[in-house]
Amino acid sequence: RNIGKIGIAFAGPVNMEAGIAGIPFKAPNLPFENYPLKRLLEERIEAQYGKKIEVKIIHDGAAAALGEVSPKGTLAGENNAMAIIIGTGIGAGVIKAGQYYPGTEEVGRLIGEMGHHLVRGVDGKYRYVGFETKGAHPELKEGEADLEDRLSGPNLAVRFAGIKEKN
């Protein structure tokens, strides 16, 4: 009952400042798109417990990277580091000059969504490549896929099951 703040590491695209999940594109492994997670959780907590508690939403890759460069993390003392998360998808967090680095405006500040690369099309426009947009990119050759299609936990399980059955 003495909780001051709640932190949530979200496994998908998130606007960390606004606390909105599934933005600028739908989280492919979760049913969130432009979902005001922070606001809704704060409202629910206040209604249920009668107390205002601040909720912070952070990308899970960012949370991992910040944890690993903390004093007790495996990368303690590092000023430039990267944490890669392999789970239902592939995420990452980058620490640059001792601070979390979200990326640049050009890539929509989604460096953590490592499994969904931003690809420049033949028309010069950038597009996200992920399993919700498979086949939408004529510049990709047959059999090409993004990292998430090849290396996420569920896809690895399917690939390894196929290898095991052959042996």
Side-chain angles (χ1 to χ4, degrees), residues 31-45:
F32 295 112
E33 184 171 15
N34 201 21
Y35 190 78
L37 187 58
K38 172 186 169 60
R39 180 181 57 81
L40 294 174
L41 284 172
E42 287 175 342
E43 288 173 0
R44 177 97 183 244
I45 290 165

Side-chain angles (χ1 to χ4, degrees), residues 3-8 16-17 37-39 41-43 45-46 51-57:
I3 297 172
K5 293 182 182 181
I6 295 174
I8 297 177
M16 294 187 288
E17 292 81 24
L37 187 58
K38 172 186 169 60
R39 180 181 57 81
L41 284 172
E42 287 175 342
E43 288 173 0
I45 290 165
E46 185 175 10
K51 181 180 178 185
K52 285 188 176 198
I53 297 177
E54 183 181 2
V55 173
K56 295 254 187 190
I57 311 292

Side-chain angles (χ1 to χ4, degrees), residues 11-13 27-30 59-61 84-92 112-116 131 146-156:
N29 53 333
L30 298 167
H59 186 270
D60 62 345
I84 298 174
I85 312 301
I86 298 177
T88 55
I90 297 181
E113 286 301 306
M114 187 175 177
H116 301 283
F131 46 86
D146 66 5
L147 280 173
E148 200 150 288
D149 291 327
R150 298 198 183 275
L151 298 176
S152 67
N155 289 320
L156 282 175

Side-chain angles (χ1 to χ4, degrees), residues 88-153:
T88 55
I90 297 181
V94 174
I95 303 299
K96 182 177 176 183
Q99 300 292 315
Y100 171 66
Y101 177 68
T104 64
E105 291 298 332
E106 183 178 38
V107 295
R109 296 210 175 274
L110 284 172
I111 200 166
E113 286 301 306
M114 187 175 177
H116 301 283
H117 290 286
L118 199 56
V119 175
R120 182 182 283 169
V122 292
D123 59 1
K125 293 182 181 174
Y126 285 96
R127 293 178 181 81
Y128 292 101
V129 180
F131 46 86
E132 76 279 6
T133 58
K134 261 191 214 171
H137 304 285
E139 64 274 16
L140 295 179
K141 297 178 180 70
E142 183 66 32
E144 287 184 338
D146 66 5
L147 280 173
E148 200 150 288
D149 291 327
R150 298 198 183 275
L151 298 176
S152 67

